[in-house]
Amino acid sequence: MNLTRRSFHGAAGGLLLTGCASIRLDTRAAAIAELGSTGKLRAAINLGNPILASREPSGEPQGVSVDLAREAARRLGLPIELVPFNSAGNVVEAVKARQVDLAFVAIDPVRAADTDYTAPYVVIEGAYLVRNESPLQRNEEVDRAGTRIVVGRGSAYDLYLTREIKSATLVRIPTSPEVTNQFIAQKLEVAAGVRQQLEADAMRLNGSGGAGLRMLPGRFMVIEQAMGVPKGRLAAQAWLSSYIEEMKASGFVAAALQRHGIEGASVAPPRAHS
């Protein structure tokens, strides 16, 4: 009797394992169909965010998002096409138009109308840059009448500040990497963007004997960077969600950040399960 019961449970367990494996295979197959509908995986790479990507001396894109895109393509058995963009706004438009199959963008409720996300893989900070002589000392002081904040159009900072700013004025320019240059050229009061980009700009301009710039302490927002797919590609979202959790847990994301010399960004925590 015990032998029969053990045999039954063993067989049932085997069926369950086989079923789980079949589900994983089915999910992967469906993800391949959605992500590789053109015969390749078209991955949008935002060169406007130095945390995510930059160019090698050869001109080829590099960075944590590039590494994640290439590894995803390898696992899916698809050839990779890296599609570079200079701003997050342009990436979002490409996702909306289904000109790319996946993208690396900040999670934002406005973008969710056209994009389905994974959980975040890295968390970065949005910060403010001002001149040394500015009376502004804290992030909370920025939102006042007469203060003009320059920001990259369509960036996570633009979307967030559009919702949050009540009295200051937003000045939108085409790409985030040009924020500091336009801040100086237009004699604006505040520049908003990725902390690392603004710190690098301040160091460059202060070192050249010019601008006299400083960061406001702390951050005005936390930005969760995730992988996204065009709305409705649920199999692709499901497969990429499992993939990104594995990449975080295995140390892949942390190693990529270290390999590319990225400081100030941290690996996002594991996805909370309900």
Side-chain angles (χ1 to χ4, degrees):
M1 185 70 177
N2 289 339
L3 178 60
T4 303
R5 185 181 294 114
R6 283 198 298 271
S7 299
F8 172 77
H9 286 307
L15 287 171
L16 286 172
L17 289 173
T18 302
C20 291
S22 298
I23 291 171
R24 286 195 295 271
L25 288 172
D26 289 345
T27 301
R28 180 177 178 274
I32 291 171
E34 291 182 352
L35 291 168
S37 59
T38 63
K40 56 191 174 185
L41 178 62
R42 302 169 299 172
I45 303 299
N46 178 18
L47 297 171
N49 186 334
I51 297 293
L52 304 184
S54 60
R55 287 197 184 275
E56 298 177 2
S58 66
E60 285 296 307
Q62 64 175 351
V64 60
S65 61
V66 175
D67 294 348
L68 285 168
R70 285 180 170 150
E71 178 63 14
R74 185 190 71 79
R75 293 185 178 208
L76 292 168
L78 292 169
I80 185 75
E81 179 186 354
L82 301 176
V83 186
F85 293 89
N86 291 324
S87 74
N90 290 337
V91 170
V92 171
E93 287 303 312
V95 173
K96 183 177 180 180
R98 299 177 181 262
Q99 295 169 343
V100 295
D101 303 304
L102 72 82
F104 297 85
V105 290
I107 296 173
D108 186 273
V110 172
R111 293 172 178 170
D114 303 299
T115 305
D116 286 323
Y117 298 106
T118 66
Y121 60 95
V122 295
V123 178
I124 61 179
E125 296 181 345
Y128 290 134
L129 177 72
V130 299
R131 291 175 177 78
N132 283 340
E133 65 270 20
S134 171
L136 299 173
Q137 300 296 325
R138 300 185 304 123
N139 292 322
E140 295 78 12
E141 298 171 359
V142 168
D143 189 12
R144 59 174 60 169
T147 297
R148 296 166 298 173
I149 308 167
V150 60
V151 65
R153 185 183 304 277
S155 66
Y157 325 103
D158 178 15
L159 298 176
Y160 175 84
L161 293 173
T162 296
R163 292 192 295 270
E164 298 297 322
I165 291 295
K166 308 303 180 188
S167 300
T169 301
L170 294 180
V171 178
R172 298 176 177 89
I173 64 168
T175 67
S176 293
E178 282 299 307
V179 160
T180 302
N181 289 340
Q182 290 302 311
F183 165 69
I184 298 296
Q186 297 186 41
K187 297 181 170 58
L188 303 173
E189 285 75 38
V190 178
V194 179
R195 169 176 292 282
Q196 288 75 11
Q197 178 72 63
L198 296 179
E199 286 176 338
D201 290 342
M203 187 176 300
R204 170 174 56 84
L205 292 168
N206 288 340
S208 65
L213 306 175
R214 60 181 169 85
M215 303 293 298
L216 292 186
R219 63 198 184 195
F220 69 85
M221 72 176 295
V222 173
I223 305 147
E224 295 181 319
Q225 291 287 341
M227 298 179 84
V229 296
K231 196 73 176 178
R233 294 187 177 178
L234 300 181
Q237 180 195 26
W239 188 89
L240 288 171
S241 293
S242 295
Y243 166 74
I244 210 66
E245 292 305 315
E246 182 181 342
M247 294 297 96
K248 290 187 294 187
S250 69
F252 183 99
V253 175
L257 291 172
Q258 184 176 14
R259 181 167 57 255
H260 296 292
I262 301 302
E263 298 180 357
S266 58
V267 179
R271 174 180 51 197
H273 293 281
S274 56

